[in-house]
Amino acid sequence: MGRSALSAANALVDGELRPATITITDGTITAVTLGASGDDAGAGAYVLPGVVDTHVHVNEPGRTAWEGFATATEAAARGGVTTIVDMPLNSVPATTTPEALALKRSRAEGQVRVDTGFWGGAVPDNLGSLEGLWDEGVLGFKCFLIDSGVADFPPLGRDQLHAAMREIGGFDGLLIVHAEDPDVIASSPAPPSRAYADFVSSRPDEAEVAAIARVVDAVREHGTRTHLVHLSSARALGLIADARAEGLPLTVETCPHYLVLDAGSVPDGATEFKCCPPIRDRGNQDALWDALVDGVIDCVVSDHSPSTAAEKSRGGGDLQQAWGGITGLQVGFAAVADSAVRRGVGIERVSAWMSTTPARIAGVAGKGAIAAGYDADFVLWSPTDSYEVHAEALAHRNKPTPYAGLTLQGRVTRTVLRGETVFDATTDAVPATATGRLLRR
């Protein structure tokens, strides 16, 4: 690969946009010199660390008709994402054994356009043998406290959650938790309905609050590093803030769809908006933004979870029957950046939430910053360009997305992975050869 340099009038270095020349040797940043002799990024463009999306359901093998490594990572590259971490479900088999991980890696080899890591799964049947997956390089272990929606990834009961925490804490691993309480949801009305308000009522705030309280109690008892995925309800923020003030090793993510979309604007029967936990009201959205700014929520990741049109249309618009998952990997960064501008939040904060912090929490080495020793992964971002999201133009295998029709301010003009361009908006092209690497902890 050799040696090269990228000179930029606005590069995000140490949390500030400043002129800089970035020296790259064999795909790694070897020096960052303040001051720039030119502007290779283009007039007005920013050079930011590549986005690190640690919550992506690729679904291959087994449900490759829903997505797949080739399509998911092309969508990532087009959206400025240079690293993804694949969830252990909804692939078949789920990534709950070293053998399943080896199969997934074999399917990903040669297909990925961005660097790709893997989460393992913690389910009742593999408790007691999680360290084998850890030794094979997974970044941590995903569990559900409620039915996951697929039979081969069952939830952990109360005692099993404690068993998982004891085991994972024993080798200083990371547990990531889908926190909704099954008892609260079982007692909530869930009639067949196309009305989005009925669907939200079937997954109430109390389900997240109760489950997070249970997780916090377990973290307090075991001291295990724990991460809450896709926080939807702002009513849990006080509980989280108290846990953090107590010094518990708890981190939290939210997602672009909770920050950009709100329940009041969701049409009835629009299954592309269905996800669990659900998109809530505008006041809730405002509180999530405040929590990000205040540091109560750590990061923003996509929870990209597409399915086939048949799964999304199951029930003819009945939101109880349709598959729950948002398609948004390619547009998540742009959507959050657009909303941030409208709220007076700078791109520096957005990059910290969507690059630096996810990489740190997941332990993805060499990602998320423009600094010597880091991989030369960049997203070149034009803050003045705007575009309308067209679902059919997205690289995702299945196109329906709740972001369709939005006009977003700001655009990815180029994505660079270890010094090599993997997307160029000028030609709307990705290279013929996929050069992403498979990451191990």
Side-chain angles (χ1 to χ4, degrees), residues 47-139:
V47 178
L48 311 172
V51 175
V52 178
D53 192 337
T54 56
H55 195 146
V56 179
H57 293 267
V58 176
N59 304 329
E60 186 176 0
R63 290 190 174 94
T64 311
W66 295 22
E67 191 60 279
F69 287 107
T71 50
T73 58
E74 179 176 343
R78 289 177 175 275
V81 179
T82 52
T83 303
I84 66 168
V85 185
D86 173 55
M87 282 289 168
L89 73 164
N90 303 299
S91 56
V92 181
T95 315
T96 56
T97 66
E99 294 77 15
L101 175 63
L103 175 61
K104 182 168 280 197
R105 282 188 171 132
S106 71
R107 295 295 180 87
E109 191 72 48
Q111 291 201 74
V112 294
R113 295 190 174 279
V114 301
D115 287 355
T116 301
F118 301 92
W119 297 112
V123 296
D125 285 349
N126 73 348
L127 297 183
S129 58
L130 297 175
E131 194 166 5
L133 270 169
W134 183 249
D135 290 342
E136 290 299 318
V138 298
L139 298 174

Side-chain angles (χ1 to χ4, degrees), residues 6-10 38-47 380-383 413-414:
L6 174 64
S7 188
N10 290 287
D39 193 356
D40 301 324
Y46 302 156
V47 178
L380 277 61
W381 178 254
S382 173
T413 59
R414 184 151 55 105

Side-chain angles (χ1 to χ4, degrees), residues 137-211:
V138 298
L139 298 174
F141 300 88
K142 169 76 173 288
C143 75
F144 278 72
L145 304 186
I146 192 169
D147 182 1
S148 70
V150 293
D152 56 352
F153 205 94
L156 299 182
R158 292 177 184 271
D159 291 344
Q160 292 163 336
L161 174 65
H162 283 267
M165 283 206 177
R166 281 193 297 271
E167 183 178 358
I168 293 167
F171 51 79
D172 194 29
L174 174 67
L175 180 67
I176 65 176
V177 185
H178 179 129
E180 289 182 284
D181 186 272
D183 295 334
V184 172
I185 289 181
S187 65
S188 302
S193 177
R194 292 172 52 86
Y196 190 74
D198 288 344
F199 172 65
V200 174
S201 295
S202 75
R203 315 287 294 214
D205 296 87
E206 291 77 10
E208 287 189 80
V209 174

